Amino acid sequence: MKIIARDIPPRAAWALEQAGVHPLLARLYAARGVRAHEELDDGLGRLLPPGGDHGLKGIDAAARLLADAMAQNQRLVIVADYDCDGATACAVGVRGLRLLGARNVDYLVPDRVTDGYGLTPPIARRVAERGADVLITVDNGIASVEGVAEAKALGLQVLVTDHHLPGPALPAADAIVNPNQPGCPFESKSMAGVGVMFYTLLALRAELRARGVFDAASQPKLDPLLTQVAQATVAAVVQLDPNNRPLVAQGRKRIRMGQMPAGIAALFHAAGRKAPAATTFDFGFALGPRINAAGRLADMTLGIECLLTDDAGRAAELASTLDSINRERREIEGGMREQAMLMAESLFDESEEPPPAISVFDPDFHEGVVGIVASRIKDKLHRPTFVFAASSAPGKEHELKGSGRSIPGFHLRDALDLVAKRHPGVILKFGGHAMAAGCTVAEESFDVFEQAFAQVAQEWLDAATLTRRIETDGPLAPEYCRADIVDTLHREVWGQGFAPPTFSEEVQIVSQRLVGEAKNHLSLKLIHQGNPVDAIWFGHTEQLPARVLLAFRLDVNEWKGERKVQFLVEGAEV
């Protein structure tokens, strides 16, 4: 592991400080590419416009399609996805369409096991059986060529809203809204599925305004949807680029002010987090996993209903159920992670480096949590990783469903594409992004996939890429090691592509011991800049030398009314 300090452009840091930004924040922002104070404006006025020459391709056609359907009182059915982004995009779509006057809005969410991912022909038929006139996909559909064709054959109009990378052919939908489709000039390519749906609603409102349905003064406010847009954008782990950051900042601001739907409030309570002090960490690691758990182990309808209800009692009941499912998910994941890690580590000797890519399969693995386990192995071994489980779908017992996670510098979906081209028929289907992807293979083809995937990694990755690097903000001045400074940092919006502050320094280890029920966390007492500080390294069990270079984030530990700074260790360079 290499700990690397980010470059901090002194002129940018000085300019931000002169503009009134806190000196520590000025340094942190400059290191993340911020050059002027105006770039820190998180107002909605900074959002890119939905339409126009630089807007989202297809969004005007989508708005006209929806406005026409609403004028004719047609039945709209949203086909969701079973992860947090897809579920929240569905809830935002249903709420937003109803706010704008749609009277017939319903949704359908596929089952991870029996339906698989995306709009399939059977799902299109189920939508038609519900009497739908218009089928709307959220967070899926860009690769659903057959599903869209079936929907069109059944007489449905189809609107695809998605953010995933397209395949070689686009579906023949009536309108497609996806910043990553060919020819789309929209500058932000990193919107989550929920962001694409929110933008579609903005365009629809503009279309309805142009038709005289309402004017600027009487038009419905879509701002309340931002709380859910913010939460799912962070949970989707998309880049917090200059367009996503305001979406997240505005949604979080409303949550901190208590302006949120009952389901979001109930999820905060179930997770033991405080909404008035909401952070992006809460979105990604407290709320997101609880919504995701429904799609992994049960029915994502539970998550969507929690986000849709305005009844506080019903929301509390659903959030409690989601919390219980998430606890079950953690138990299943724990056993799977241990087994998968042993299998991964058996692929190489202790004295050797891990292979360039890792693929593991066990018949007892649960397909609902393979992605989480792949992420854990990737984090520990710093290798592109796929974890497979046997499909539970009827008639698909000999298929393996795999979920992969990657490292910087290795585009996972492109790697799958190359494997598919080199070995036709081995991958039955695949899709995803640079850092996360999924695929299905026949059980008898697993060994071929494993070797072919490792071969691509061998060709694409060099020693530098295979060395885990932690980028940090360098040393932390002792005067900033205070609880109020931690609060200041927590008030800002951090996330993927706008990394939370991580510092690095050589410290003296005074004592260390393993804690937690499974004794799998390392609790440390150390000396930082001459001052004693407590620290913890979650999921780490190996002892550290007396002096070590640590990478750490800042947190506050509260005990009996006293608030003390605590280091959360991210890594060590020994």
Side-chain angles (χ1 to χ4, degrees):
M1 176 184 292
K2 293 289 292 180
I3 295 177
I4 310 293
R6 293 185 180 89
D7 179 47
I8 303 171
R11 286 176 180 247
W14 179 84
L16 291 170
E17 195 172 336
Q18 292 300 302
V21 177
H22 186 285
L24 178 58
L25 286 176
R27 174 182 141 196
L28 297 172
Y29 284 141
R32 285 154 182 76
V34 177
R35 295 293 176 263
H37 186 259
E38 305 81 64
E39 295 175 41
L40 298 174
D41 179 8
D42 60 13
L44 294 176
R46 287 190 63 85
L47 290 179
L48 295 169
D53 292 342
H54 301 287
L56 283 156
K57 179 181 178 181
I59 201 165
D60 294 331
R64 290 191 296 271
L65 185 158
L66 292 173
D68 289 346
M70 288 165 58
Q72 298 166 40
N73 198 27
Q74 291 184 333
R75 187 167 181 79
L76 313 175
V77 174
I78 294 174
V79 175
D81 185 28
Y82 41 68
D83 68 0
C84 179
D85 186 17
T88 311
C90 177
V92 165
V94 171
R95 282 184 175 274
L97 288 167
R98 288 173 179 168
L99 274 172
L100 294 172
R103 293 186 293 278
N104 286 309
V105 186
D106 195 4
Y107 72 89
L108 183 153
V109 58
D111 181 271
R112 180 186 294 268
V113 173
T114 58
D115 295 315
Y117 173 76
L119 173 62
T120 61
I123 293 171
R125 290 192 286 272
R126 278 157 57 189
V127 171
E129 288 165 6
R130 290 194 179 191
D133 300 294
V134 179
L135 185 158
I136 305 164
T137 72
V138 290
D139 192 33
N140 76 92
I142 196 64
S144 302
V145 174
E146 294 177 358
V148 170
E150 180 71 8
K152 294 294 295 177
L154 292 167
L156 298 172
Q157 287 187 290
V158 180
L159 164 59
V160 169
T161 74
D162 200 353
H163 70 125
H164 293 90
L165 298 174
L170 293 179
D174 294 275
I176 298 175
V177 185
N178 181 340
N180 291 303
Q181 67 176 305
C184 182
F186 195 70
E187 189 176 331
S188 174
K189 303 297 182 184
S190 299
M191 272 204 299
V194 70
V196 177
M197 187 66 237
F198 181 71
Y199 258 71
T200 302
L201 294 169
L202 290 176
L204 172 59
R205 186 175 66 176
E207 176 67 20
L208 294 173
R209 197 167 57 237
R211 296 185 181 198
V213 176
F214 35 66
D215 58 26
S218 64
Q219 69 181 6
K221 290 186 178 297
L222 297 176
D223 303 15
L225 301 175
L226 286 168
T227 56
Q228 296 183 345
V229 173
Q231 184 271 317
T233 296
V234 174
V237 202
V238 295
Q239 298 283 324
L240 291 194
D241 62 18
N243 203 62
N244 279 334
R245 285 193 76 241
L247 289 172
V248 173
Q250 289 295 323
R252 194 190 64 159
K253 186 180 296 183
R254 284 161 174 77
I255 289 173
R256 284 188 160 208
M257 293 168 62
Q259 301 170 1
M260 68 194 116
I264 294 288
L267 285 166
F268 266 97
H269 180 76
R273 309 297 294 182
K274 298 175 182 176
T279 66
T280 48
F281 181 89
D282 294 327
F283 295 163
F285 294 95
L287 275 65
R290 283 165 174 79
I291 298 171
N292 263 326
R296 295 187 187 281
L297 301 186
D299 179 358
M300 186 46 97
T301 303
L302 292 167
I304 296 172
E305 285 299 313
C306 183
L307 295 170
L308 281 177
T309 185
D310 291 316
D311 182 303
R314 174 74 173 144
E317 179 185 330
L318 288 164
S320 176
T321 300
L322 291 171
D323 185 59
S324 298
I325 296 171
N326 191 51
R327 292 175 192 275
E328 181 187 354
R329 186 271 305 170
R330 283 203 297 258
E331 289 179 13
I332 293 172
E333 180 206 331
M336 265 182 64
R337 183 177 66 242
E338 188 175 332
Q339 174 66 13
M341 194 68 74
L342 288 172
M343 294 172 70
E345 290 175 341
S346 72
L347 299 174
F348 58 99
D349 293 333
E350 200 170 316
S351 59
E352 299 176 334
E353 286 291 307
I358 290 168
S359 303
V360 295
F361 159 66
D362 188 281
D364 293 328
F365 283 173
H366 191 296
E367 64 184 279
V369 294
V370 286
I372 302 174
V373 174
S375 182
R376 301 291 189 263
I377 295 175
K378 181 268 299 181
D379 287 345
K380 183 171 182 181
L381 300 181
H382 193 68
R383 294 294 186 271
T385 300
F386 259 94
V387 176
F388 287 85
S391 174
S392 305
K396 305 280 188 179
E397 291 81 3
H398 298 295
E399 292 183 1
L400 306 183
K401 286 187 173 181
S403 189
R405 298 295 184 269
S406 194
I407 61 176
F410 188 81
H411 196 297
L412 204 54
R413 187 198 170 280
D414 286 356
L416 291 177
D417 188 44
L418 184 54
V419 170
K421 287 172 179 170
R422 287 179 173 177
H423 302 272
V426 166
I427 299 181
L428 304 178
K429 56 183 176 180
F430 69 92
H433 302 285
M435 303 303 286
C439 69
T440 302
V441 302
E443 185 172 350
E444 63 268 19
S445 300
F446 173 75
D447 290 342
V448 177
F449 173 87
E450 180 181 22
Q451 293 167 15
F453 182 53
Q455 179 62 37
V456 173
Q458 181 77 49
E459 296 168 9
W460 287 7
L461 295 169
D462 56 22
T465 314
L466 289 171
T467 300
R468 187 183 177 206
R469 296 158 58 96
I470 298 182
E471 282 195 313
T472 77
D473 297 291
L476 176 70
E479 63 265 28
Y480 294 142
C481 198
R482 306 194 315 261
D484 63 306
I485 294 293
V486 180
D487 294 339
T488 297
L489 296 179
H490 283 177
R491 279 193 290 271
E492 304 305 307
V493 173
W494 315 100
Q496 188 76 8
F498 205 85
T502 303
F503 304 96
S504 57
E505 229 160 322
E506 187 174 288
V507 298
Q508 177 187 341
I509 306 295
V510 177
S511 67
Q512 50 190 316
R513 63 190 178 93
L514 295 177
V515 297
E517 285 185 21
K519 300 294 183 186
N520 58 341
H521 309 308
L522 188 63
S523 176
L524 304 161
K525 291 189 180 297
L526 50 86
I527 301 296
H528 167 261
Q529 299 270 12
N531 299 313
V533 179
D534 290 340
I536 189 161
W537 192 346
F538 291 112
H540 185 85
T541 56
E542 297 170 20
Q543 297 285 295
L544 295 173
R547 293 198 70 83
V548 64
L549 177 63
L550 285 188
F552 57 90
R553 292 185 292 112
L554 299 181
D555 197 15
V556 173
N557 190 21
E558 297 189 32
W559 177 251
K560 294 184 177 179
E562 185 181 3
R563 304 178 77 236
K564 293 175 61 178
V565 171
Q566 174 181 247
F567 290 176
L568 303 179
V569 180
E570 294 284 297
E573 186 177 313
V574 181

